């Protein structure tokens, strides 16, 4: 049976998805929350890769010369998680964000069921600038 989550844990739990989709860059608290969420997601992937690597090392040591047969599943899982294991930060994602395309899973968040503009408050900087100039292309 899972233990109930404490108030302190719930207060630190991220409430925003790990993406810049719909974040107003002039709204500092929301921007920092998105940056923090992206970093936390990267650290979780990095630590998951570390745990898999440690289990793989134990398997290699335990199985000895038979490690190619016995540790194949762990080895494949390790190689699957290896590209995401490095913590890269958020600056590249933030500066090169393409609305509706970039998110951690490689899919559009709006089509996945998350609508960041449901409350009508968030809008991206290019949309605001275009709205102020009267440009209807965006």
């Amino acid at each position: 049976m899972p233990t109930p989550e404490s108030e302190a844990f719930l207060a630190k739990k991220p409430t925003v998805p790990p993406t810049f989709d719909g974040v107003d860059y002039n709204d500092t608290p929301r921007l920092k929350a998105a940056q923090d969420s992206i970093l936390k997601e990267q650290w979780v992937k990095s630590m998951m890769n570390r745990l898999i690597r440690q289990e793989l090392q134990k398997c290699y040591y335990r199985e000895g010369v038979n490690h190619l047969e016995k540790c194949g599943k762990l080895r494949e899982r390790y190689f699957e998680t290896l590209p995401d294991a490095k913590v890269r930060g958020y600056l590249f994602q933030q500066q090169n964000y393409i609305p509706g395309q970039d998110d951690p899973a490689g899919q559009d968040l709006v089509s996945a069921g998350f609508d960041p503009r449901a409350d009508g408050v968030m809008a991206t900087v290019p949309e605001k600038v275009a709205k102020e100039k009267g440009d209807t292309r965006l």
Side-chain angles (χ1 to χ4, degrees):
M1 174 181 234
T3 55
E5 296 176 341
S6 67
E7 294 296 323
F9 178 78
L10 290 175
K12 293 181 180 180
K13 195 173 184 179
T15 57
V16 295
T19 180
F20 288 106
D21 193 25
V23 174
D24 181 6
Y25 287 81
N26 292 326
D27 187 7
T28 305
R30 286 204 142 159
L31 179 64
K32 292 296 177 188
Q35 291 171 349
D36 188 42
S37 179
I38 287 171
L39 283 176
K40 284 181 181 179
E41 186 70 24
Q42 290 176 359
W43 271 106
V44 166
K45 288 180 182 178
S46 177
M47 293 298 115
M48 183 64 106
N49 186 278
R50 178 186 289 179
L51 291 173
I52 294 170
R53 183 178 65 236
Q54 289 172 351
E55 289 300 315
L56 185 62
Q57 288 172 342
K58 290 177 189 175
C59 184
Y60 276 8
Y61 181 75
R62 183 179 58 242
E63 298 300 333
V65 295
N66 296 327
H67 68 84
L68 291 175
E69 296 174 6
K70 306 284 185 175
C71 305
K73 290 181 182 177
L74 274 174
R75 184 177 56 246
E76 291 301 318
R77 189 165 176 207
Y78 177 70
F79 283 128
E80 287 173 3
T81 60
L82 195 58
D84 297 328
K86 186 174 181 178
V87 177
R88 293 181 174 91
Y90 54 81
L91 283 180
F92 181 80
Q93 287 179 331
Q94 182 176 342
Q95 293 170 353
N96 299 303
Y97 179 73
I98 300 172
Q101 276 187 320
D102 297 336
D103 67 278
Q107 63 179 351
D108 186 11
L109 286 179
V110 176
S111 66
F114 177 77
D115 186 10
R117 297 185 188 120
D119 57 0
V121 181
M122 294 186 282
T124 59
V125 174
E127 289 176 3
K128 282 187 171 185
V129 172
K131 194 179 217 182
E132 290 171 1
K133 292 183 179 181
D135 191 1
T136 59
R137 290 182 289 172
L138 289 178

